[in-house]
Every structure is written in structure tokens, then in C-alpha cells.
Amino acid sequence: MPVVDGVELPETPLLDELEKGPWPSFVKEIKKTAIEQEKAMKAGKKIKLPGAAKGLLKVLELAYKDKRTHWKHGGIVSVIGYGGGVIGRYCDLEDQIPEVWHFHTIRINMPAGWFYTTKALRTICDVWEKWGSGLTNFHGSTGDIILLGTRTEYLQPCANALAYADQLYGGVPFDIGGSGSDLRTPSACMGPALCEFACYDTLKACYEFTMRYQNELHRPMWPYKFKIKCSGCPNDCVAAKARSDFAIIGTWKDEIQIDQEAVREYAKVIDIEEHVVKKCPTKAISWDGKELKINNRECIRCMHCINVLPKALKPGKERGATILIGGKAPFVDGAIIGWVAVPFIPENELIEKCCEMLEAIWEWWDEEGKFRERVGELIWRKGMDEFLKVINQKADVRMVYAPRNNPFIFWRELNE
Amino acid sequence: MVAQEVEKEPEETLQPKTDFGPPHYEIMLHPVVKKNYGKWAYHEAVRPGVIKRVAESGDVIYTVRFGTPRLLSIYTVREICEIADKYCDGYLRFTSRHNVEFILTDPDKIEPLIKEVQEKLGFPCGGTRDTTNAKYCLSNIIHTQGWVHCHTPATDASGIVKSVMDELYDYFTDYKLPAQCRISLACCANMCGAVHASDISIVGVHRKVPKIDDDAVRRTCEIPSTVAACPTGALKPDMKRKTVVLDKDKCMYCGNCYTMCPGMPIFDPDNDGVAILVAGKVSDARYPPQLSKVVVPWIGNNPPRWPEVVQTIKKILETWATHAEKYERIAEWVHRIGWERFFELTGLEFTEKLIDDYKRTPYIYASYRTSAAFRW
């Protein structure tokens, strides 16, 4: 057995291959955890699961050898008061590798925009060093901080440690995130904190939704999962259009703001015609070497020209967001990129309007949705006309690329 | 043996506290970020990985981005914290693609920071773009748990990502691409990674039907929900025997039934593997968002380094990077040259497996506007 710093590690010839090469290695991270946690324990620190990372190395090496996973379905594990946020996980090699027989995940609700102080990050480290495997993901696919692997009996103490972190660890308290058929932890791009393109306050919106819907987030009660993501502009850095049932995409309605002097400065270093004018999808831009003209009636606010000339061009002043509905992965009716449900909501009405809509959607989906039917699939089954009634919206040509190409229209109102 | 009286930890005796939510983002913001919140004027690319952000007030912030393996030890996170304390007054952030970004105000500290991160953590600086000059780094690969922690994967996640990024390392640290390229990996079709709108996606797929263990189905499964999980109607309840029966001809091995029911294991080490998809995007820039399209139906799992997958990804990326115009993402490039040329140039084989026969996605969807780009 290889011994590092006085700590014995299991033989992992296959995994060792993944320590080679320039990209940072997850295998090194697991080994480092195994070594450092054992050293910390020997130095007198209270550590409940000193062998977990070592156990993971053994399981993973076997997975690599057998070309299959060795994790089993979770069953129901949770913390008091919540139905979601903890993913039960057991190993199918209980006798062989008892260290990771239980290896449950805890999802921790990250701060909006994934901004941290080192004090907050150290809280996570201190709690997870004591009560778990010491292994994390920054971050999981939905955006939560993922704590990888602990035993059932440590779930509640770990949640308590995080909840009372200010008193117990001199740290920053954290709450648990969503999982299962509930509101998944909402996420947001960095928005106005760092980006001049943000057309609404994505962090504030994300935080408001998260706080207002704590019950929906922690207690799975719906047909399936529901995701909300906030992107400050149509560049969509959090992939809200594809990855959330309810995507809030910042945009504007009036004219792009132009600083002609700054355009001329850019013209000294790049070819405006090649980089900007020719790339405009609606040919709405012209450049005569002195002045950049945008035909805003033709502009579809795709962001390309603004992305290329951030010093010179800015979104307009009449800002807000477009709501796209239905985005999701392939199960069951196929992968969906969300489509327009509301073309524009002004920024000052955005959060309240979204909440009104979310509550109406959830009530309808809860009533009508089948088991494991995402809201986009329910809309396909019931029709956009019914959905528009639910969210109290009139049909708008901006909801489609083109009108229908068949005359098989439901005239239900004449046939009741 | 007498049970020992174990002294309880304070965490074990406290009353559970619920529904207090995440920490407020405001306490996480660097003072200069907080001061200029919503008042940023512009940004510019300094070098790969480094972006300068200038506020209307004249204040300047630099963000310095490093790729991480996503799976991080708390001991690495503590080292990240030490560096952030030293250079960034204790403030940092993570991106939506598993990168860590240090936030600092003093440009003289950038190079020492990069050096220290590379020496202590081994994280490469890069992953950004200079849109003005159409120079792009490859971004980090967003990915799922795989064999590290998931019960339904058809492949591993971290191992493939590590192998691909080792091969494409210079594309992350340098501006070597003509446009944005986002690579994503999901270790099964459940797609926690939601990779269905990525420039290049790697998706774990099974190819053999689940093996129904009637006894396990009876013990551990809810039959109606298992049957309902099947997208193609291949599963039917057998009420008499209290189990399910499978119509093999209808099954397309998605594994959704196994997610619901442990009695239907679908693993097959020799037949599991990955499919490769290309030409998806989510941004509205120039060309509307697109779903990714399958261009390689299956490559078998070949751990620990999946060389066939790595070489296929590299071939696609480099063919695109060689032939694309400035700002042309894979979707836009293929739109211009046609799929005929895509398969010709990449040397990938087009087969009947790439012609869609999944009938559940309704035809109506094609007319829905999957974009916020429209005229007023």
C-alpha cells in the first residue's frame, strides 16, 4: 500500500492514470482529502468519518475496473422538517468497503451569483471536515454547493452545524437546497454585481424567489422538479433557456445606447464592418467610418454588437425581462429549450409579476400534471391556449417563430 | 459488551432550524463590487483568464479565472481561501461552469496571484474570451457525478472530463478559438447536466434493455410510477405476478425506469458508453438557441482515459476551429456549410442511427420561439 505523510492509501492503478496530465485532477483531490483528514484526526481534531475519502478511492477504482457504478438507490433519508435537499446513496459493496456503505449527498443553497467571502467558504469546510467526507462539488449542476458523502446519523448534526454556524463555528449559516419533486434551488448569473449588460437585478430576483418559496423548495409536493434561473441578458450565462422550467432573460425595449466616440476608438483596432455590421442577424447596423447607425425597429436584441463593443454600446434604458417557459432535459417527451411565455415585463414589476405567474403555474401543474411530467410537457399536452389563461396572458406573435400550418383549431367555446 | 456513554456534540442536541434560506448575497460582495453594484460601465479582456471591469465611478475590478476539477477537497477550498485572503481581501466567486474567480483591485497582484494559484493548486488560468477581437478560450466542461457518486450513470463524468481537458489544455489557457465553445457532459440521459444545448456534449447511454428482477420489483418498486416513467410505452404492469413486463422492441434503453425502480438494472459494462452531440447553444447572439444534435451514436467506455472519446472531441473541435469564421459557433458554422460538409470534414460516419425516430417530441414544438430575440 502506498503511504503518503504517514497515511496509507489503497492501491488504485487505474485512478492513478488520472493524476497525470496538466488539467487539475479530481483523483488528487480525493487522495488529498484522505491524507489530510486522517492527519487532522491524528492531530486531535474531531472527525466523524475519517475513512470516507479512502473508501471512495476503493469504490471508484472498482467502478473503473468493472466499467459500472457501485452506487445504489438512496431510499428516503432527510433532516427534520425537510423532504428534499438530501440525496440518499448507498454502496453495493457494503461488506468490502464499509467506510462508504452510507454515502449521502447534502445540497447546500449557495449565495446568489456564487459570490463568497472566505469566512463563508471556511464554514462549509469546517462543518464538512467534522461531519462528512471532506469532499465537495463547487458546484452541482443546479448550482448548489454539494457535500459528497456522509452517514445517515450525521445528516441532522451536519444540518444543525450549518444552521448554527455563527454560534458553533464563528462562521456563516447555510441552509439546505432543493431535490426531488420540489422547487430546485434557484440560480442567477453575476448580474449587476459585476456585469454592465444586466438588464435587471438577477441576484435580488433569485434571492427573493428563494426566500419567498422556502416551503416549496424544502418540501417536495409536485408532479416533478421545477427550476427557476435568472440571466441578466440574452447571452444567458446560466443557460436558463435550456436548463430551467421558468427562465427570466433580461432584455430591453427601446434603443441601444451608442457612444459614437467609443465606436471610433474601437474602429482603430478592429474592423467594425467585419466584426459587427456583417454579423448582425437582421442587418440592422450600418457604419460609414464615422458613425454607427442602428435601425432599432429591425434589432432583435441578440447582444452580438454589444458583446463586441461593450465600451460603446449598451442595452436601452427601458429594461426588463422576457419569460421563457418549459426548458428541460430529455425525459420524457424530449429535450426542450424554453419558449416565450411573456415577451416583456418591465424591471420594476418583474419580481411581483413572476411570483403571481409562478403561483398560478404551480397550482395548475399540481392539479393537472401527471407524475414526472414537467410543466413544459403539460403545456404541450393541454395546449398553449389553456396555459395562457393560467398565466393571464394574451397571445403574442413573439411567442412563436411562425403561426400554425394546419387549420385543425379547437373552437371549444362554440362547442361547450 | 456494555454500551459506552458517548458525550454528545452540541450539534446533536440543538433544535433543528428550518427555512431560513441562503446567506444574503450582499454580505458576499467585495466592497468595490458593492459600491458599484448596477453601475458598471464596461469590461475588457486583459489576457486569457483576466477581465478588467470599469465602473461609472472610475473604480476598477479585475476577475481572474481558473479552471477547477469541480470535485474539490475542503483542504483545497481552504487553500483557495488563503490565497483569496492574501490577494483579494477575502472575496471570490465561482462561475456557472466550475471555475473559480478571484476578485481584486490591484493590477500588480494579478501575475503573483496566477503564479501562486498555479504553484499551490495547479489550477490553470483561462477560460475567458475577448469578444471585441474574436479571440476565445475554451470554457471548462460542465459535468455530473458519474461513477463518483451516482446510481444511474452509463459512464463516468470526472474521468472523461479530466482526459478531454488534459488534451485540450492549451485551448483553455490561450485564445485559440474563433468563437465560444461550451462542452458539457451528462453521465446518463437523465441529464443532471442538461447538456442538450451545448456546442459539444457527451452523454452517457445504455444500449441493452433493463434486466427485470421480479423479486426486487415486488419488494422495492411502485409499479404504476415505474410504468409511467417509460417514454415509449415499453413497460406494462403484470398485476397477477405483481411485476412489470417489457416489450424489448419498444425500449430505447433510456434508464428512466431504473431511476424509479431498483428492480430494473440496466448496466452493461460492455455495451454502456457515450453519445456525442454537437451544435447546441443557448445565447441569442447572432443565431437562435439550438438543441444539440447526435453525431456519434456510441463510443464504448474505455477507462481510465477514454482515448476514443478524447480523440473524437478533439477532432470535432479542431475541425471547427480551423474552418469557422470569426464568431461562428459550431451551430452557425454547420448552418453555413451544411451537415454534408460537417461529416465530410470531421470524417465522422453518418449512419441510420443518426436519423431521428423518437416520436414523443411533438411536431408543434418547432414553431415555438425558443429565444428572447424578436422585434418590437
Side-chain angles (χ1 to χ4, degrees), chain A residues 365-380:
Chain A
W365 176 49
D366 207 17
E367 192 67 34
E368 303 282 348
K370 290 182 187 169
F371 179 71
R372 274 170 97 77
E373 183 173 52
R374 297 281 284 270
V375 75
E377 293 163 325
L378 174 63
I379 299 169
W380 286 352

Side-chain angles (χ1 to χ4, degrees), chain A residues 15 26 30 49 51-64 66-75 87-94 96-105 133 135 147-151, chain B residues 71 144-158 187 206 258-259 261-267:
Chain A
L15 295 181
F26 69 102
I30 306 173
L49 270 173
K54 218 182 270 189
L56 178 61
L57 286 170
K58 294 183 199 166
V59 174
L60 199 54
E61 179 70 16
L62 272 175
Y64 268 67
D66 300 342
K67 297 206 278 185
R68 57 153 295 183
T69 191
H70 280 289
W71 300 106
K72 295 199 295 186
H73 287 71
I87 323 295
R89 186 69 69 236
Y90 298 92
C91 179
D92 68 2
L93 303 158
E94 181 191 353
Q96 249 175 292
I97 313 173
E99 307 94 293
V100 287
W101 153 230
H102 296 209
F103 206 64
H104 312 316
T105 301
S133 69
L135 299 164
L147 303 182
L148 279 176
T150 194
R151 291 184 59 84
Chain B
L71 195 164
T144 56
Q145 299 291 12
W147 295 339
V148 169
H149 204 229
C150 183
H151 62 304
T152 66
T155 187
D156 187 35
S158 311
C187 51
H206 303 287
Y258 180 64
T259 316
C261 168
M264 329 235 357
I266 191 166
F267 303 108

